[in-house]
Amino acid sequence: MKVVDELYQRVRFIYSPQQLLQRLKIIQEQKEQEIVLLKDKIQKYEQKRQTEDALYQSRSPLRKLFSGRPPNHHQAVEYLVHVKDRLNKIKRIKQEITTLQALILMIEHGQTQAQIELPVSVIDALTKIEKDQENHYDD
């Protein structure tokens, strides 16, 4: 089965359906792991922020005066960087996983021809897997 790049319309890989299926499942697992890591980072940031807020609230009024606190717009930027951007990335990854699942189902049910067009993100992931396997064989 020829794997064609959706953007440039050129053959990038040639796999048997089983090999392609195996690689797509590997990519799907990697994407799911990436989501877990991003969620973990968001949770750690939220815990850190809550801990800092609780510490600040527990201080006496005089200590609050001297300790200071970041302005609200700094906190908003931190939230944007540590939470909002990561949530958007998770959303994009979930869309990619949905695409992968559709491709996997299509291959499992034998609804593919001799050639399959894949999005650039999947092609990049396949390229990375191939490079990793080459490096693994070289060691």
Side-chain angles (χ1 to χ4, degrees):
M1 171 180 296
K2 294 178 183 177
V3 177
V4 177
D5 188 342
E6 189 177 68
L7 184 62
Y8 298 111
Q9 295 295 315
R10 53 181 188 178
V11 176
R12 297 293 304 262
F13 303 103
I14 298 177
Y15 294 125
S16 71
Q18 299 306 330
Q19 288 175 323
L20 181 59
L21 187 64
Q22 178 187 17
R23 284 169 174 81
L24 290 177
K25 287 182 179 182
I26 290 171
I27 293 169
Q28 182 179 359
E29 289 173 10
Q30 290 172 346
K31 298 286 184 189
E32 289 170 353
Q33 282 292 77
E34 192 174 346
I35 288 175
V36 169
L37 290 173
L38 288 170
K39 284 183 178 180
D40 188 45
K41 287 180 180 180
I42 291 171
Q43 184 180 17
K44 285 180 181 179
Y45 169 75
E46 289 291 334
Q47 287 176 347
K48 177 185 165 205
R49 191 182 58 76
Q50 288 175 355
T51 304
E52 289 172 353
D53 195 37
L55 179 66
Y56 181 78
Q57 294 300 327
S58 69
R59 292 183 177 158
S60 68
L62 186 60
R63 287 195 136 188
K64 284 182 185 179
L65 179 69
F66 289 116
S67 67
R69 195 168 195 188
N72 286 340
H73 64 278
H74 286 271
Q75 292 174 346
V77 170
E78 278 185 12
Y79 179 81
L80 183 75
V81 169
H82 292 288
V83 178
K84 192 77 170 177
D85 287 347
R86 288 179 178 156
L87 287 175
N88 288 337
K89 189 170 185 179
I90 288 172
K91 188 176 178 181
R92 284 192 309 271
I93 293 171
K94 284 183 179 181
Q95 290 172 343
E96 291 175 13
I97 288 174
T98 303
T99 303
L100 285 169
Q101 289 172 340
L103 289 168
I104 289 170
L105 283 174
M106 193 169 71
I107 293 169
E108 284 177 342
H109 294 302
Q111 299 173 348
T112 57
Q113 278 78 37
Q115 171 173 313
I116 186 168
E117 283 187 20
L118 296 180
V120 176
S121 61
V122 177
I123 295 290
D124 291 342
L126 285 171
T127 303
K128 185 175 184 269
I129 289 174
E130 291 299 319
K131 286 181 182 177
D132 288 346
Q133 286 182 351
E134 285 175 13
N135 290 339
H136 180 69
Y137 291 132
D138 290 343
D139 292 341

